[in-house]
């Protein structure tokens, strides 16, 4: 819920009006291709072209990057992005393809890069012309991110030589740029890390190899990225040498939705325009699904199960609302740090419940005409594990909540 | 949607809550609470009513007991969200008092057609409880086992909350013309209060019988009045559960941060840490749904029944979960009578079933979402 206790100022109200009328006139309409459920599942260039064109037009209309400074290609406002987000979601627009750029790279660059680099990189990031990816995880460093071994070695003439192996890198197959966490000192785990932005597309075959990985759903979307003597200029380093961990914490804070800047967000439209993962959608499915000559919605056990999930969903929505009322919250990070964990697990349970409601049809997939919502629930259930694993697994989120909010000792 | 985004929880509400937190901390800290209510551990003990009437007198003087009297009847005009904050504080302190019941009666009377005498009594400082449940514990006036012949009541009301503490009862009784609400002074001739042996040491409950007791009729159509008040009652009870849950959580967090096993504080271990995080998530859900229901009651009538059921459905589960994890994570000490945790464990067990358990509220929710279940 992006709307909180705040009320629009006159400027904000005028901006909301602008968003509404622009969206009425410029909504791109039904997509020509099957769209993925989220940007990290974009498989092919037909999907990407359509979505990039949409992001660029929304950017040009001032709906994206509104709260970024003008010299970074932003609108120079405050509190406008949340309005644009409200309106884009209300208008059921396509999703924004440059999610990692907008949600992670941009706020990190804003907080840690030189002004020169900000001016150079951010405009094409916000417009979606440059797609970004995040090179954090490695085969040996997932939850224990500070274990990364990809190594940057100084060449002596103001450049770095990067060698190593990143994995599960979402969108690398379309990316122009990567935010990357590398080791610059092997003798210190945390203080031996540094943070760079590195070119991908322009360096393909010149030190960078991108190999798509196939997901359990059969979709593409993430990749392995291999670095073999990639040469990078020192001015591409964010913040000081050895401060990579602190910079990465900024990225993770925003990745988990707990940053202090609203990330541009749009969506609501997929290839099946009506599909959203919600308990309301499960309830509708239950009404329409017959079992033993009766609607599933008349089965007392299924009624109870669906209502259990409704309580959780509504509880989450109201907790997000409460997060905006300081008098009704104790620890300032208590609610923000719950968001990622709660949303990802809620979607997982909800999609699973839909499959249960669907019974035998629940296991039909995208290629079957009789599948539930064209197979979207089944796909959604599988994809939900991407979200309970990526960006800090649910287990890691519980560690963070226990340690940062409840103050329990670290399990590290 | 007519609801304000901040639940209508304003500075006055916040001030009331912090005043209440301070008051309860000061008047009845948990060690004194334990000494007051847990002096007899005998399982078969005779039920007694342990409380401090002088604390209640102060609460009345602070104006807390009249907070659900409508403004045009002499009340203070505070929204229910503000009252929810007060009750959350009382739940956190587990303070024995007839506050919640008196407020519940105020809510029911607000939906009665001739309630003035009841409001006047509450404004004078009288405490009062609802007497309407049947012997099976159905918290619905429709099955009341009290009968009215004219204004003379006979029969029995079960599961009457705080009956040992209150001055009066609001009784649902079946008359020739439907079920009505009657005001009865507890001291009236023919009223007999038999305390139930409940596990919750911070509350009391009784079976109350009426033998030719003269009552004062305050409302006809008791079922409709109760149905209208029920979401508000659910909101307040959920706030109590969230408050008690927070005490259980914080107390357990403190314990597992200090107690060491295997050379480490217990909270280091994820088998301890993760369930406590889950308790926190559950409390936050219940707290949010409690304020949402209170706000709906204040200004969003069409969504009020649903919001009330959501709140108590969540609260019942949270009551259970927060209580069970607190005892478990305290280990052997948590299983003893001397550890304060059992006071809150038992309060939560009582709150869980009070005014409808989770299954019942979810069944009502399903009726709203899907339409009534076919017979
Ligand atoms: C769809 C998807 C997209 C992704 N996109 C990107 C991307 O763009 N860029 C990027 O850098 N990475 C990306 N990742 C990688 C992701 O960040 C890692 O998968 C994640 O951090 C977990 O690391 P791991 O896979 O090595 O699992 P592991 O760390 O090996 O964990 C395996 C299991 O052990 C549990 N576990 C691990 N440590 C602990 C602990 N301390 N306490 C309790 N349980 C623990 C985990 O919760 C998990 O259940 C993506 C992953 C997915 C699934």
């Amino acid at each position: 819920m992006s709307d909180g206790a705040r009320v629009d100022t006159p400027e904000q109200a005028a901006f909301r009006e602008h968003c509404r009328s622009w969206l009425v006139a410029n909504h791109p309409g039904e997509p020509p291709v099957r769209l993925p459920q989220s940007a990290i599942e974009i498989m092919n260039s037909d999907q990407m072209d359509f979505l990039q064109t949409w992001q660029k037009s929304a950017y040009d209309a001032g709906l994206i990057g509104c709260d970024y400074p003008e010299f970074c290609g932003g609108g120079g406002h405050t509190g406008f992005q949340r309005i644009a987000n409200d309106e884009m979601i209300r208008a059921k627009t396509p999703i924004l393809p440059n999610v990692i750029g907008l949600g992670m790279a941009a706020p990190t660059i804003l907080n840690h890069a030189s002004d020169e680099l900000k001016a150079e990189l951010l405009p094409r990031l916000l417009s979606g012309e440059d797609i970004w990816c995040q090179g954090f995880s490695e085969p040996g460093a997932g939850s224990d991110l500070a274990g990364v071994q990809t190594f940057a070695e100084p060449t002596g003439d103001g450049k770095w030589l990067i060698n190593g192996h990143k994995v599960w890198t979402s969108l690398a197959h379309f990316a122009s740029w990567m935010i990357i966490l590398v080791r610059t000192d092997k003798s210190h785990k945390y203080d031996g890390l540094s943070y760079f932005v590195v070119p991908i597309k322009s360096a393909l075959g010149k030190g960078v190899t991108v190999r798509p990985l196939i997901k359990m759903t059969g979709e593409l979307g993430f990749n392995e990225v291999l670095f073999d003597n990639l040469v990078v200029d020192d001015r591409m380093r964010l913040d000081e040498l050895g401060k990579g961990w602190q910079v990465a914490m900024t990225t993770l804070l925003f990745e988990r939705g707990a940053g202090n800047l609203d990330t541009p967000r749009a969506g609501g439209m997929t290839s099946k325009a009506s599909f959203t993962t919600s308990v309301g959608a499960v309830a509708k499915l239950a009404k329409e699904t017959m079992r033993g000559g009766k609607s599933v919605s008349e089965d007392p056990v299924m009624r109870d199960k669906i209502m259990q999930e409704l309580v959780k969903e509504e509880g989450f929505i109201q907790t997000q609302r409460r997060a905006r009322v300081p008098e009704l919250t104790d620890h300032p990070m208590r609610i923000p740090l719950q968001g990622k964990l709660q949303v990802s697990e809620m979607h997982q349970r909800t999609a699973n419940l839909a499959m249960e409601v669907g019974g035998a049809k629940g296991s039909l997939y995208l290629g079957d005409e009789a599948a539930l919502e064209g197979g979207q629930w089944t796909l959604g259930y599988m994809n939900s594990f991407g979200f309970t694993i990526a960006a800090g697994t649910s287990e890691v989120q519980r560690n963070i909540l226990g340690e940062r909010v409840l103050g329990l000792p670290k399990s590290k | 949607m007519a609801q304000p985004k901040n639940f209508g929880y304003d500075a006055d509400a916040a001030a009331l809550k912090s005043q209440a937190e301070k008051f309860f901390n000061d008047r009845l800290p948990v060690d004194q609470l334990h000494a007051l209510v847990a002096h007899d551990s005998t399982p078969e003990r005779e039920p007694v009513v342990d409380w401090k009437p002088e604390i209640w007198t102060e609460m009345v003087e602070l104006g807390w007991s009249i907070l659900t009297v409508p403004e045009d009847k002499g009340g203070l005009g505070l929204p229910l969200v503000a009252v929810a904050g007060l009750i959350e504080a009382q739940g956190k302190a587990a303070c024995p008092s007839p506050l919640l019941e008196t407020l519940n009666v105020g809510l029911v009377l607000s939906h009665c057609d001739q309630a003035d005498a009841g409001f006047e009594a509450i404004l004078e400082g009288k405490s009062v409880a609802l007497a309407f449940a049947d012997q099976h514990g159905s918290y619905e006036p429709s099955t009341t086992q009290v009968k009215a012949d004219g204004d003379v009541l006979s029969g029995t009301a079960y599961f009457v909350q705080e009956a040992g503490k209150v001055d009066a009862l609001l009784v649902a009784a079946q008359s020739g013309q439907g079920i009505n609400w009657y005001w009865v002074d507890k001291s009236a001739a023919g009223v007999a209060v038999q305390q139930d042996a409940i596990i919750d040491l911070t509350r009391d409950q009784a079976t109350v019988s009426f033998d030719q007791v003269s009552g004062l009729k305050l409302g006809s159509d008791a079922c409709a009045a109760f149905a209208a008040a029920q979401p508000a009652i659910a909101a307040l009870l959920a706030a109590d559960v969230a408050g008690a849950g927070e005490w259980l959580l914080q107390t357990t967090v403190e314990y597992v941060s200090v107690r060491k096993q295997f050379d480490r504080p217990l909270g280091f271990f994820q088998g301890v840490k993760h369930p406590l995080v889950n308790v926190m998530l559950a409390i936050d859900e219940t707290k949010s749904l409690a304020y949402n229901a209170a706000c709906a009651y204040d200004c969003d009538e069409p969504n009020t029944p649903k919001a009330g059921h959501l709140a108590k459905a969540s609260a019942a589960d949270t009551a259970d979960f927060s209580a069970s994890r607190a005892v478990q994570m305290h280990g052997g000490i948590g299983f003893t009578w001397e550890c304060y945790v059992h006071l809150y464990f038992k309060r939560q067990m009582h709150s869980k079933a009070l005014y409808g358990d989770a299954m019942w509220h979810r069944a009502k929710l399903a009726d709203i979402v899907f339409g009534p279940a076919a017979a």
Side-chain angles (χ1 to χ4, degrees), chain A residues 3-7 16 82 86 282-284 286-287 294 297-298 302-325 327-330 334-335 338 341-342 345 394-403 405-412, chain B residues 1 3-11 14 17 88 246 249-250 252-254 256-257 264-270 272-281 283-285 287-289 291-292 295 306 309-310 313-314 317 358-359 362-363 365-375:
Chain A
D3 54 342
R6 291 167 291 189
V7 180
R16 193 182 287 282
R82 127 192 108 79
D86 285 351
V282 177
K284 183 165 167 281
K287 278 198 163 177
K294 274 209 227 158
S297 68
E298 287 176 36
M302 290 310 293
R303 284 165 83 93
D304 190 64
K305 278 196 168 185
I306 296 167
M307 291 309 104
Q308 285 183 32
E309 215 37 59
L310 184 70
V311 172
K312 300 231 163 296
E313 183 183 78
E314 193 60 30
F316 176 75
I317 292 169
Q318 295 305 331
T319 296
Q320 295 307 304
R321 175 181 173 199
R322 185 159 63 79
R324 307 260 189 194
V325 188
E327 296 82 10
L328 284 175
T329 54
D330 320 312
R334 178 162 165 167
I335 298 175
Q338 293 174 15
L341 172 68
Q342 293 274 54
E345 294 198 339
S394 292
E395 291 72 27
V396 167
Q397 301 298 335
R398 284 189 170 80
N399 287 346
I400 293 171
L401 283 162
E403 290 155 20
V405 178
L406 296 179
L408 295 170
K410 282 195 190 286
S411 9
K412 191 160 62 197
Chain B
M1 193 177 73
Q3 288 197 30
K5 289 172 178 177
N6 69 350
F7 301 88
Y9 194 84
D10 57 13
K17 187 173 176 188
E88 190 190 338
E246 193 68 28
L249 174 65
Q250 297 305 339
T252 310
V253 163
E254 274 168 40
V256 304
S257 301
R264 297 179 184 280
L266 293 170
F268 164 88
F269 299 102
Q270 292 175 343
V272 172
K273 182 181 287 176
H274 289 190
L276 290 178
V277 168
N278 291 340
V279 169
M280 175 175 86
L281 300 177
I283 292 168
D284 279 329
E285 173 190 292
K287 181 169 170 176
S288 305
L289 289 172
Y291 285 95
N292 175 55
C295 179
K306 186 176 174 187
H309 294 307
L310 284 165
S314 169
D317 286 345
M359 278 256 247
R362 288 197 297 262
L365 262 184
D367 290 348
I368 294 172
V369 172
F370 292 119

Side-chain angles (χ1 to χ4, degrees), chain A residues 100 134 136-137 142-143 168-170 222 386 389-390 393 395 399, chain B residues 270:
Chain A
I100 294 178
Q134 174 196 25
F136 278 20
S137 305
S143 297
W168 307 304
T169 321
S170 299
F222 60 12
I389 293 170
T393 65
E395 291 72 27
N399 287 346
Chain B
Q270 292 175 343

Side-chain angles (χ1 to χ4, degrees), chain B residues 32-86:
Chain B
Q32 288 178 30
L33 172 68
H34 199 264
L36 175 70
V37 303
H39 50 82
D40 182 2
S41 57
T42 321
E44 302 83 3
R45 69 187 172 277
E46 282 292 312
V48 283
V49 183
D50 289 317
W51 67 309
K52 290 202 166 173
E54 63 273 24
I55 296 184
W56 172 243
T57 305
E58 278 191 81
M59 289 163 75
V60 170
E61 280 161 8
L62 286 165
W64 293 353
S65 67
I66 66 167
L67 287 178
T68 55
V69 175
E71 201 170 5
D72 59 0
K73 303 287 183 187
L76 301 177
L78 246 60
L80 193 70
V81 285
V83 185
L86 169 65

